Amino acid sequence: DSGVTQTPKHLITATGQRVTLRCSPRSGDLSVYWYQQSLDQGLQFLIQYYNGEERAKGNILERFSAQQFPDLHSELNLSSLELGDSALYFCASSPTGLGNTEAFFGQGTRLTVV
Amino acid sequence: TQLLEQSPQFLSIQEGENLTVYCNSSSVFSSLQWYRQEPGEGPVLLVTVVTGGEVKKLKRLTFQFGDARKDSSLHITAAQPGDTGLYLCAGADMEYGNKLVFGAGTILRVKS
């Protein structure tokens, strides 16, 4: 158990809908990363938050947004969902989010858009 | 953005064989990490290498960081079916907010 909790584990929704994925980082970790993993794209970095502030942004679509709350949990919002958004979404946390810091991953949320 | 290339993409071997997985970049990384991921699970950190030329051992796994800190390798001795999984290397992209950049991964299958 990495100590990172993601909910829900599975989500099935229709195209055009909006969903929210939730992540609770390890106790004491200030940095949260979100990744999308699909069969053809591998593990793609979406966005990173550190202590409530956006730290780095990857290839995150405009339809997607995230935030980190004062208690350090984070939410990833996906809207106007398309079939191609079906993937595994992982959250990871690390103590500082600086270089050389290891990331600890949750078990992921499997999103299926039908 | 710094990119990491892993090879081979897929490896299928018999139990007891040795293997090496490579992770290469044209850029210098301050550190590289190796993760192992099983189907339906999140990646699990195996090791972090920091110093150029560094070698770390984890039971039958040997990790090496290149002298120039641009590449790394993972060597598994006497592979076991339990080693089956997706092996990912990752490095902190110092040019872009220290985000963790992952290679595409090597799928390892060890047959008994």
Side-chain angles (χ1 to χ4, degrees):
Chain A
D1 183 3
S2 67
V4 178
T5 303
Q6 286 188 249
T7 56
K9 288 190 176 179
H10 302 276
L11 199 49
I12 301 175
T13 189
T15 53
Q17 294 299 305
R18 172 189 170 94
V19 297
T20 297
L21 312 183
R22 183 188 168 98
C23 170
S24 294
R26 293 189 320 159
S27 177
D29 284 359
L30 298 178
S31 193
V32 168
Y33 306 79
W34 284 98
Y35 287 86
Q36 179 192 59
Q37 188 176 42
S38 56
L39 286 175
D40 58 340
Q41 292 289 324
L43 202 59
Q44 298 292 311
F45 171 75
L46 295 178
I47 197 163
Q48 178 196 358
Y49 279 83
Y50 175 74
N51 203 21
E53 304 264 334
E54 183 183 301
R55 168 69 66 89
K57 217 169 185 177
N59 296 324
I60 186 168
L61 299 172
E62 286 190 7
R63 300 183 286 110
F64 297 180
S65 65
Q67 54 185 328
Q68 187 178 27
F69 294 87
D71 67 352
L72 300 177
H73 91 270
S74 179
E75 292 182 354
L76 178 67
N77 300 297
L78 315 176
S79 62
S80 303
L81 284 167
E82 302 175 359
L83 295 177
D85 297 327
S86 296
L88 270 169
Y89 290 84
F90 287 104
C91 164
S93 75
S94 65
T96 66
L98 301 176
N100 304 339
T101 301
E102 297 125 349
F104 296 87
F105 282 78
Q107 291 199 314
T109 293
R110 180 175 293 279
L111 173 65
T112 303
V113 182
V114 296
Chain B
T1 300
Q2 297 164 307
L3 296 174
L4 287 166
E5 294 184 355
Q6 283 188 246
S7 61
Q9 289 183 322
F10 181 76
L11 199 51
S12 181
I13 61 171
Q14 289 294 135
E15 181 177 1
E17 292 183 4
N18 301 332
L19 67 115
T20 302
V21 175
Y22 299 94
C23 176
N24 296 295
S25 174
S26 58
S27 304
V28 175
F29 283 90
S30 59
S31 68
L32 270 174
Q33 299 163 19
W34 285 92
Y35 293 78
R36 179 168 165 264
Q37 184 180 17
E38 297 193 31
E41 302 289 328
V44 175
L45 179 68
L46 295 174
V47 78
T48 299
V49 285
V50 179
T51 307
E54 181 178 5
V55 176
K56 280 192 175 178
K57 292 193 175 184
L58 187 66
K59 296 182 182 178
R60 293 177 292 98
L61 278 60
T62 302
F63 304 86
Q64 184 161 7
F65 202 11
D67 291 341
R69 292 187 291 138
K70 291 183 178 182
D71 55 86
S72 181
S73 64
L74 157 60
H75 182 79
I76 301 179
T77 303
Q80 304 293 314
D83 296 327
T84 294
L86 174 67
Y87 289 82
L88 296 156
C89 66
D93 186 345
M94 306 293 283
E95 297 174 9
Y96 196 54
N98 296 312
K99 69 179 185 182
L100 264 183
V101 176
F102 279 81
T106 293
I107 297 173
L108 171 64
R109 181 185 172 200
V110 183
K111 296 175 284 187
S112 56

